[in-house]
């Protein structure tokens, strides 16, 4: 996802409501949700019936707990009221408070046993499902669940580690169109005789396990273009009818981006790719198989291609292969950021990558000044919205860039492919990724991962060079002068530029202490010397001739 706005006060307040989401997948694991949702133009109240298929891991399980915001805990009387919980038609007792729905199972269960529950509920969502007019004054409904806002309108185990397949069966006034995860199974117009209203039932089925943060529906008046097929994957554009021409053309880079990532990472994980104009709070939100873009984003043409690349990359990293806990969210955001940069390098050349990396560097340095103790693998930040920072995105991306320089291009891509192959449709953490990269490269990467991901900050290098014409000797001195006590182990390229030669001669130096001096014998006098001429190291530095 890409943030478009500064954090809004409500975003911070809802986190203090829920604290850090804890997962209970040890005892049981949700395998599938069927969400029946009824929406109307007369009220913002939704009626829901969730059929939940759960695998019992521990036979001692007595209570099954789902996340669902209750009215007493919601804002302004909003929240969900549970009407019944049933198992095979039989009512179960439950307790719904503090945003948890605890269901008493009252029976002896077997390990691996599947049980199915149905939860009937209703209410006005305080968040999670945004019910609002779009910029043209049309009423719209858009799911916007990241990070743990699904619980406002869907009873779920609302944590990225409990992935499930899902279906949305949406009953809405007939003038709406409905998009949701997966493939379209049914779209039928019906008559509601009681209210003399034409209704439409739309049923979408997603057969691939995804986290709740990307399980959504979007309901609006849409113009829909079935743009093209990419290896049998339909690519669709869903925009407000008023934005039909501009919106369709804005999404045109989608096919090329899909082609690049499919070739590099393995087949696209889902049944379709829909690019959807929406009311998401983010600039773009990577909802699985239907990416939601903000109304503003689709009109920022110069930035949209990077945003599209970022969100499409998330379909592999974030949606199919999901971080096992929020502290490893860089495995989603750092990956999507760097993969988008790699698409730009592939499409527009190495200079465009270097420009993006330099821009990112400034954001990392600025964030570090503000938040000097924060690390990329971040177990200290419990406000999930605060994880949307330059560490998760830009420093995670920079780390992958440095990893690439350590392994070389071929092994880097091989590692990414293997990592995806092994953990797709599942979860992984930073250690899992490190082990894959070690397996592929044959290198011990523990110290490298540790210095960049588990320690705050970055190296600050002060250095100088001088050339002695008599001995044809170049002397380079480097100091690590970062405030943190930590010393880095760095491989740094030095570019030696000669008169009338456009490309520099490259030497690599190994800086593994506080202060080091290096000497090189040159054939002739250099014009100037540049540290890290190809932008491979995340460091702040001053480098001068003495
Ligand atoms: Zn993202």
């Amino acid at each position: 996802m890409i943030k478009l706005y500064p954090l809004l006060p409500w975003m911070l307040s809802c986190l203090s409501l829920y604290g850090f989401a804890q997962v209970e997948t040890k005892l049981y694991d949700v395998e599938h949700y069927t969400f029946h949702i009824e929406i109307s133009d007369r009220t913002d109240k939704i009626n829901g019936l969730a059929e939940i298929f759960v695998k019992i891991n521990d036979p001692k399980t007595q209570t099954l707990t789902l996340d669902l915001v209750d009215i007493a805990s919601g804002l302004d009387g909003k929240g969900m009221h549970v009407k019944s919980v049933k198992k095979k038609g039989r009512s179960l007792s439950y307790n719904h408070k503090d945003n948890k729905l605890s269901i008493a199972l009252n029976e002896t269960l077997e390990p691996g046993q599947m049980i199915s529950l149905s939860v009937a509920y209703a209410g006005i969502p305080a968040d999670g499902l945004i019910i609002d007019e779009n910029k043209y004054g049309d009423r719209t409904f858009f799911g916007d669940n990241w990070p743990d806002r699904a619980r406002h309108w869907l009873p779920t185990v609302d944590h990225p580690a409990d992935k499930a397949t899902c279906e949305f069966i949406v009953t809405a006034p007939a003038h709406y169109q409905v998009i949701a995860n997966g493939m379209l199974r049914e779209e039928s117009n019906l008559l509601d005789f009681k209210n003399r209203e034409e209704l439409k039932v739309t049923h979408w089925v997603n057969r691939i396990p995804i986290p709740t943060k990307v399980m959504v529906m979007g309901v609006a008046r849409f113009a829909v273009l079935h743009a093209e097929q990419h290896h049998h994957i339909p690519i669709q554009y869903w925009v407000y009818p008023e934005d039909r021409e501009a919106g369709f053309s804005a999404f045109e880079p989608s096919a090329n981006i899909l082609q690049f990532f499919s070739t590099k990472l393995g087949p696209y994980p889902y049944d379709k790719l829909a690019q959807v104009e929406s009311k998401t709070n983010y600039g773009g939100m990577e909802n699985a198989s239907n990416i939601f873009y903000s109304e503003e984003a689709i009109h920022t043409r110069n930035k949209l291609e990077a945003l599209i690349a970022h969100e499409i990359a998330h379909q592999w990293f974030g949606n199919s292969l999901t971080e096992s806990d929020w502290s490893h969210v860089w495995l989603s955001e750092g990956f999507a950021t760097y993969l988008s940069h790699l698409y730009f390098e592939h499409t527009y050349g190495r200079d465009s990558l270097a420009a993006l990396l330099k821009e990112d560097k400034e954001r990392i340095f600025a964030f570090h000044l503000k938040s000097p103790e924060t690390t990329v693998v971040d177990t200290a930040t419990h406000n999930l919205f605060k994880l949307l920072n330059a560490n998760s995105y830009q420093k995670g991306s920079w780390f992958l860039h440095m990893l690439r320089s350590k392994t070389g291009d071929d092994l880097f891509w091989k590692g990414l492919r293997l990592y995806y192959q092994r953990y797709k449709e599942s979860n992984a953490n930073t250690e899992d990724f490190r082990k894959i990269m070690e397996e592929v490269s044959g290198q011990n990467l523990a110290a490298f991962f540790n210095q960049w991901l588990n320690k705050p900050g970055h190296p600050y290098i002060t250095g100088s060079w001088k050339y002695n014409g008599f001995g044809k000797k170049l002397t380079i001195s480097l100091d690590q002068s970062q405030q943190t006590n930590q010393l880095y182990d760095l491989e740094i390229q030095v570019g030696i530029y000669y008169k009338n030669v456009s490309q520099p001669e490259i030497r690599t130096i190994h800086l593994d202490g506080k202060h080091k001096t290096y000497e090189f014998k040159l054939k002739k006098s250099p014009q100037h010397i540049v540290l890290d001429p190809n932008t491979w190291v995340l460091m702040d530095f001053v480098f001068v001739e003495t």
Side-chain angles (χ1 to χ4, degrees), residues 36-81:
H36 302 256
I37 306 279
E38 285 176 22
I39 58 168
S40 138
D41 283 339
R42 289 184 298 277
T43 167
D44 287 350
K45 186 172 156 187
I46 63 166
N47 281 309
L49 176 72
E51 297 172 76
I52 304 168
F53 299 83
V54 186
K55 189 169 91 192
I56 301 297
N57 293 330
D58 186 332
K60 291 194 287 295
T61 305
Q62 290 294 308
T63 307
L64 200 141
T65 304
L66 300 171
D67 298 296
L68 184 67
V69 171
D70 59 88
I71 291 174
S73 312
L75 304 165
D76 308 328
K78 293 176 180 174
M80 295 297 140
H81 164 69

Side-chain angles (χ1 to χ4, degrees), residues 92-104:
L92 298 181
S93 60
Y94 59 88
N95 183 12
H96 189 201
K97 66 170 192 185
D98 301 332
N99 303 318
K100 296 279 181 196
L101 176 62
S102 303
I103 301 164

Side-chain angles (χ1 to χ4, degrees), residues 1-2 286 310 314 333 393:
M1 154 239 327
I2 287 276
E286 66 267 20
H310 179 103
H314 268 311
E333 299 304 346
Y393 287 71

Side-chain angles (χ1 to χ4, degrees), residues 66-67 89 94 144 168 196 245 279 291 318 330 335 474 531:
L66 300 171
D67 298 296
Y94 59 88
D144 200 40
F168 279 91
R196 295 178 159 273
E245 277 181 31
K279 291 284 295 177
I291 300 167
W330 82 274
F335 272 64
L474 170 69
L531 202 61

Side-chain angles (χ1 to χ4, degrees), residues 12-27:
L12 300 173
S13 70
C14 33
L15 260 291
S16 54
L17 277 177
Y18 313 129
F20 202 40
Q22 287 298 320
V23 72
E24 298 187 46
T25 50
K26 299 288 176 286
L27 301 176

